[in-house]
Amino acid sequence: SPLLYKDWVIVAPQSPTVGVAAFEKATGKVAWQSKTMGKMDYSSPLITQVAGQDQVVMENGARVVGVGVTNGEILWTYEGLPVKTAQVPCPTPIGDGRFFVSGGYDAGCAMLKVEKKNGKFAAAELFKNMNCNAHIHNMILYKGYLYASCNTNSKNDGLVCLDLDGNVKWKTGKSPHFDKGNFIFADGVMYIMDGAGGQLRIVDPTPDGYKQLAEAKLLEGKEIWAPMALSDGKLVCRDQGQMKCVDLKAAK
């Protein structure tokens, strides 16, 4: 997905010659471009701040890369995650220079910390384990805990809650499973689409256990994996053949 930043549109071509590029919104002219980061991936660029400096952060296969947002300079690289194929989830900024990264296909997860010393950035690994295998959708950080959809071609952990040391607090497994449906967070609750059945579940995110607040059948078919969007109390979701807009305010 393209990323808007001030007067630029930042995209990630991930070509053999260019990793990330910024274009002027008004003219389409190239403002800057970074060096290549390796093979193409599905992850989108995000903007975050490390040591007071805005950066573009990208997960690119087995690499997580920080890029200078003003000139495209590659500032730091982490290559500790054993990724075997292209990944989708973006790194999750935790704060204090920390990023949580995860991938499917038995890539597992890791927490890294980026610091600036003697004028240069460097990434160090804080932990790495197999407790989280986020396959398609971004992880969510809420009140010091991480929530991830960890259903892959080989694992069926369902929705997983972890602390910031990488320990599993709970996981739903197959009850409910959620398949590879999207989930988003707003107003203190999570909205999770079941990727196989089309049920929308509203969940109270708490490390004490899975707590479902409501459920409604909205969509049909299979592979209901598309991202959802929420604006002014209205949720937009879609399957392979239809799109719906649901008024969540009315449901309350």
Side-chain angles (χ1 to χ4, degrees), residues 196-216:
Q199 292 90 358
L200 177 71
R201 293 182 173 92
I202 303 177
V203 175
D204 178 11
T206 168
D208 298 330
Y210 176 75
K211 184 179 180 181
Q212 183 169 307
L213 303 176
E215 177 180 343

PDB file of all heavy atoms in Angstrom, residues 196-216:
ATOM      1  N   ALA A 196     -13.148 -17.996   6.877  1.00  0.00           N
ATOM      2  CA  ALA A 196     -13.775 -19.158   6.247  1.00  0.00           C
ATOM      3  C   ALA A 196     -15.295 -19.117   6.322  1.00  0.00           C
ATOM      4  O   ALA A 196     -15.980 -19.660   5.460  1.00  0.00           O
ATOM      5  CB  ALA A 196     -13.265 -20.441   6.894  1.00  0.00           C
ATOM      6  N   GLY A 197     -15.847 -18.478   7.373  1.00  0.00           N
ATOM      7  CA  GLY A 197     -17.286 -18.508   7.558  1.00  0.00           C
ATOM      8  C   GLY A 197     -17.991 -17.191   7.371  1.00  0.00           C
ATOM      9  O   GLY A 197     -19.212 -17.150   7.217  1.00  0.00           O
ATOM     10  N   GLY A 198     -17.254 -16.062   7.418  1.00  0.00           N
ATOM     11  CA  GLY A 198     -17.872 -14.761   7.226  1.00  0.00           C
ATOM     12  C   GLY A 198     -18.521 -14.184   8.465  1.00  0.00           C
ATOM     13  O   GLY A 198     -19.273 -13.210   8.376  1.00  0.00           O
ATOM     14  N   GLN A 199     -18.241 -14.759   9.648  1.00  0.00           N
ATOM     15  CA  GLN A 199     -18.771 -14.191  10.880  1.00  0.00           C
ATOM     16  C   GLN A 199     -17.868 -13.047  11.341  1.00  0.00           C
ATOM     17  O   GLN A 199     -16.648 -13.175  11.360  1.00  0.00           O
ATOM     18  CB  GLN A 199     -18.836 -15.241  11.996  1.00  0.00           C
ATOM     19  CG  GLN A 199     -19.853 -16.338  11.775  1.00  0.00           C
ATOM     20  CD  GLN A 199     -19.277 -17.513  11.024  1.00  0.00           C
ATOM     21  OE1 GLN A 199     -18.110 -17.491  10.630  1.00  0.00           O
ATOM     22  NE2 GLN A 199     -20.079 -18.531  10.828  1.00  0.00           N
ATOM     23  N   LEU A 200     -18.494 -11.942  11.721  1.00  0.00           N
ATOM     24  CA  LEU A 200     -17.767 -10.853  12.360  1.00  0.00           C
ATOM     25  C   LEU A 200     -17.903 -11.025  13.863  1.00  0.00           C
ATOM     26  O   LEU A 200     -19.006 -11.107  14.392  1.00  0.00           O
ATOM     27  CB  LEU A 200     -18.328  -9.499  11.942  1.00  0.00           C
ATOM     28  CG  LEU A 200     -17.666  -8.292  12.622  1.00  0.00           C
ATOM     29  CD1 LEU A 200     -16.251  -8.092  12.080  1.00  0.00           C
ATOM     30  CD2 LEU A 200     -18.494  -7.035  12.442  1.00  0.00           C
ATOM     31  N   ARG A 201     -16.760 -11.066  14.560  1.00  0.00           N
ATOM     32  CA  ARG A 201     -16.773 -11.188  16.009  1.00  0.00           C
ATOM     33  C   ARG A 201     -16.181  -9.925  16.627  1.00  0.00           C
ATOM     34  O   ARG A 201     -15.162  -9.425  16.163  1.00  0.00           O
ATOM     35  CB  ARG A 201     -16.002 -12.418  16.457  1.00  0.00           C
ATOM     36  CG  ARG A 201     -16.656 -13.738  16.047  1.00  0.00           C
ATOM     37  CD  ARG A 201     -15.864 -14.930  16.574  1.00  0.00           C
ATOM     38  NE  ARG A 201     -16.556 -16.187  16.322  1.00  0.00           N
ATOM     39  CZ  ARG A 201     -16.371 -16.943  15.242  1.00  0.00           C
ATOM     40  NH1 ARG A 201     -15.500 -16.563  14.310  1.00  0.00           N
ATOM     41  NH2 ARG A 201     -17.036 -18.066  15.085  1.00  0.00           N
ATOM     42  N   ILE A 202     -16.826  -9.434  17.662  1.00  0.00           N
ATOM     43  CA  ILE A 202     -16.329  -8.278  18.405  1.00  0.00           C
ATOM     44  C   ILE A 202     -15.737  -8.802  19.704  1.00  0.00           C
ATOM     45  O   ILE A 202     -16.405  -9.524  20.451  1.00  0.00           O
ATOM     46  CB  ILE A 202     -17.450  -7.269  18.664  1.00  0.00           C
ATOM     47  CG1 ILE A 202     -18.080  -6.834  17.338  1.00  0.00           C
ATOM     48  CG2 ILE A 202     -16.909  -6.058  19.411  1.00  0.00           C
ATOM     49  CD1 ILE A 202     -19.255  -5.886  17.494  1.00  0.00           C
ATOM     50  N   VAL A 203     -14.469  -8.451  19.941  1.00  0.00           N
ATOM     51  CA  VAL A 203     -13.707  -9.065  21.027  1.00  0.00           C
ATOM     52  C   VAL A 203     -13.124  -7.984  21.932  1.00  0.00           C
ATOM     53  O   VAL A 203     -12.606  -6.967  21.453  1.00  0.00           O
ATOM     54  CB  VAL A 203     -12.581  -9.955  20.457  1.00  0.00           C
ATOM     55  CG1 VAL A 203     -11.706 -10.510  21.572  1.00  0.00           C
ATOM     56  CG2 VAL A 203     -13.183 -11.087  19.620  1.00  0.00           C
ATOM     57  N   ASP A 204     -13.197  -8.214  23.225  1.00  0.00           N
ATOM     58  CA  ASP A 204     -12.559  -7.353  24.216  1.00  0.00           C
ATOM     59  C   ASP A 204     -11.112  -7.814  24.378  1.00  0.00           C
ATOM     60  O   ASP A 204     -10.871  -8.914  24.882  1.00  0.00           O
ATOM     61  CB  ASP A 204     -13.306  -7.469  25.547  1.00  0.00           C
ATOM     62  CG  ASP A 204     -12.673  -6.623  26.649  1.00  0.00           C
ATOM     63  OD1 ASP A 204     -11.785  -5.792  26.344  1.00  0.00           O
ATOM     64  OD2 ASP A 204     -13.068  -6.807  27.811  1.00  0.00           O
ATOM     65  N   PRO A 205     -10.120  -7.006  23.954  1.00  0.00           N
ATOM     66  CA  PRO A 205      -8.724  -7.445  24.030  1.00  0.00           C
ATOM     67  C   PRO A 205      -8.180  -7.345  25.453  1.00  0.00           C
ATOM     68  O   PRO A 205      -7.989  -6.258  25.986  1.00  0.00           O
ATOM     69  CB  PRO A 205      -7.995  -6.476  23.089  1.00  0.00           C
ATOM     70  CG  PRO A 205      -8.834  -5.245  23.089  1.00  0.00           C
ATOM     71  CD  PRO A 205     -10.244  -5.678  23.328  1.00  0.00           C
ATOM     72  N   THR A 206      -7.953  -8.489  26.059  1.00  0.00           N
ATOM     73  CA  THR A 206      -7.430  -8.543  27.412  1.00  0.00           C
ATOM     74  C   THR A 206      -6.495  -9.732  27.524  1.00  0.00           C
ATOM     75  O   THR A 206      -6.780 -10.805  26.945  1.00  0.00           O
ATOM     76  CB  THR A 206      -8.565  -8.658  28.448  1.00  0.00           C
ATOM     77  OG1 THR A 206      -7.995  -8.985  29.722  1.00  0.00           O
ATOM     78  CG2 THR A 206      -9.566  -9.729  28.076  1.00  0.00           C
ATOM     79  N   PRO A 207      -5.391  -9.608  28.252  1.00  0.00           N
ATOM     80  CA  PRO A 207      -4.471 -10.739  28.419  1.00  0.00           C
ATOM     81  C   PRO A 207      -5.036 -11.840  29.306  1.00  0.00           C
ATOM     82  O   PRO A 207      -4.438 -12.921  29.405  1.00  0.00           O
ATOM     83  CB  PRO A 207      -3.237 -10.096  29.055  1.00  0.00           C
ATOM     84  CG  PRO A 207      -3.761  -8.882  29.761  1.00  0.00           C
ATOM     85  CD  PRO A 207      -4.883  -8.385  28.904  1.00  0.00           C
ATOM     86  N   ASP A 208      -6.175 -11.598  29.934  1.00  0.00           N
ATOM     87  CA  ASP A 208      -6.750 -12.584  30.850  1.00  0.00           C
ATOM     88  C   ASP A 208      -7.433 -13.736  30.128  1.00  0.00           C
ATOM     89  O   ASP A 208      -7.776 -14.745  30.750  1.00  0.00           O
ATOM     90  CB  ASP A 208      -7.756 -11.909  31.784  1.00  0.00           C
ATOM     91  CG  ASP A 208      -7.093 -10.850  32.658  1.00  0.00           C
ATOM     92  OD1 ASP A 208      -5.908 -11.012  32.975  1.00  0.00           O
ATOM     93  OD2 ASP A 208      -7.759  -9.851  32.990  1.00  0.00           O
ATOM     94  N   GLY A 209      -7.670 -13.613  28.826  1.00  0.00           N
ATOM     95  CA  GLY A 209      -8.313 -14.683  28.074  1.00  0.00           C
ATOM     96  C   GLY A 209      -9.164 -14.124  26.949  1.00  0.00           C
ATOM     97  O   GLY A 209      -9.444 -12.921  26.882  1.00  0.00           O
ATOM     98  N   TYR A 210      -9.579 -15.000  26.039  1.00  0.00           N
ATOM     99  CA  TYR A 210     -10.424 -14.596  24.912  1.00  0.00           C
ATOM    100  C   TYR A 210     -11.808 -14.230  25.423  1.00  0.00           C
ATOM    101  O   TYR A 210     -12.478 -15.029  26.082  1.00  0.00           O
ATOM    102  CB  TYR A 210     -10.510 -15.730  23.897  1.00  0.00           C
ATOM    103  CG  TYR A 210     -11.447 -15.441  22.748  1.00  0.00           C
ATOM    104  CD1 TYR A 210     -11.079 -14.561  21.733  1.00  0.00           C
ATOM    105  CD2 TYR A 210     -12.690 -16.054  22.672  1.00  0.00           C
ATOM    106  CE1 TYR A 210     -11.932 -14.305  20.675  1.00  0.00           C
ATOM    107  CE2 TYR A 210     -13.555 -15.794  21.618  1.00  0.00           C
ATOM    108  CZ  TYR A 210     -13.173 -14.918  20.625  1.00  0.00           C
ATOM    109  OH  TYR A 210     -14.015 -14.662  19.580  1.00  0.00           O
ATOM    110  N   LYS A 211     -12.243 -13.018  25.141  1.00  0.00           N
ATOM    111  CA  LYS A 211     -13.531 -12.530  25.628  1.00  0.00           C
ATOM    112  C   LYS A 211     -14.325 -11.964  24.466  1.00  0.00           C
ATOM    113  O   LYS A 211     -14.085 -10.859  23.995  1.00  0.00           O
ATOM    114  CB  LYS A 211     -13.325 -11.459  26.706  1.00  0.00           C
ATOM    115  CG  LYS A 211     -14.627 -10.965  27.334  1.00  0.00           C
ATOM    116  CD  LYS A 211     -14.345  -9.926  28.410  1.00  0.00           C
ATOM    117  CE  LYS A 211     -15.637  -9.419  29.037  1.00  0.00           C
ATOM    118  NZ  LYS A 211     -15.375  -8.378  30.073  1.00  0.00           N
ATOM    119  N   GLN A 212     -15.297 -12.723  23.990  1.00  0.00           N
ATOM    120  CA  GLN A 212     -16.129 -12.295  22.863  1.00  0.00           C
ATOM    121  C   GLN A 212     -17.345 -11.525  23.359  1.00  0.00           C
ATOM    122  O   GLN A 212     -18.028 -11.935  24.291  1.00  0.00           O
ATOM    123  CB  GLN A 212     -16.574 -13.515  22.055  1.00  0.00           C
ATOM    124  CG  GLN A 212     -17.387 -13.170  20.821  1.00  0.00           C
ATOM    125  CD  GLN A 212     -17.585 -14.364  19.897  1.00  0.00           C
ATOM    126  OE1 GLN A 212     -16.625 -15.009  19.518  1.00  0.00           O
ATOM    127  NE2 GLN A 212     -18.832 -14.657  19.556  1.00  0.00           N
ATOM    128  N   LEU A 213     -17.608 -10.393  22.697  1.00  0.00           N
ATOM    129  CA  LEU A 213     -18.714  -9.530  23.085  1.00  0.00           C
ATOM    130  C   LEU A 213     -19.939  -9.721  22.208  1.00  0.00           C
ATOM    131  O   LEU A 213     -21.074  -9.565  22.672  1.00  0.00           O
ATOM    132  CB  LEU A 213     -18.273  -8.063  23.034  1.00  0.00           C
ATOM    133  CG  LEU A 213     -17.067  -7.690  23.887  1.00  0.00           C
ATOM    134  CD1 LEU A 213     -16.691  -6.228  23.664  1.00  0.00           C
ATOM    135  CD2 LEU A 213     -17.343  -7.955  25.362  1.00  0.00           C
ATOM    136  N   ALA A 214     -19.718 -10.022  20.920  1.00  0.00           N
ATOM    137  CA  ALA A 214     -20.846 -10.164  20.002  1.00  0.00           C
ATOM    138  C   ALA A 214     -20.384 -10.899  18.752  1.00  0.00           C
ATOM    139  O   ALA A 214     -19.179 -11.020  18.482  1.00  0.00           O
ATOM    140  CB  ALA A 214     -21.419  -8.793  19.624  1.00  0.00           C
ATOM    141  N   GLU A 215     -21.352 -11.378  17.977  1.00  0.00           N
ATOM    142  CA  GLU A 215     -21.047 -12.110  16.744  1.00  0.00           C
ATOM    143  C   GLU A 215     -22.191 -11.941  15.762  1.00  0.00           C
ATOM    144  O   GLU A 215     -23.365 -11.915  16.163  1.00  0.00           O
ATOM    145  CB  GLU A 215     -20.832 -13.597  17.051  1.00  0.00           C
ATOM    146  CG  GLU A 215     -20.579 -14.460  15.830  1.00  0.00           C
ATOM    147  CD  GLU A 215     -20.382 -15.935  16.191  1.00  0.00           C
ATOM    148  OE1 GLU A 215     -20.116 -16.231  17.386  1.00  0.00           O
ATOM    149  OE2 GLU A 215     -20.485 -16.776  15.289  1.00  0.00           O
ATOM    150  N   ALA A 216     -21.870 -11.804  14.472  1.00  0.00           N
ATOM    151  CA  ALA A 216     -22.905 -11.687  13.443  1.00  0.00           C
ATOM    152  C   ALA A 216     -22.376 -12.244  12.129  1.00  0.00           C
ATOM    153  O   ALA A 216     -21.220 -12.009  11.762  1.00  0.00           O
ATOM    154  CB  ALA A 216     -23.326 -10.231  13.255  1.00  0.00           C
TER     155      ALA A 216
END
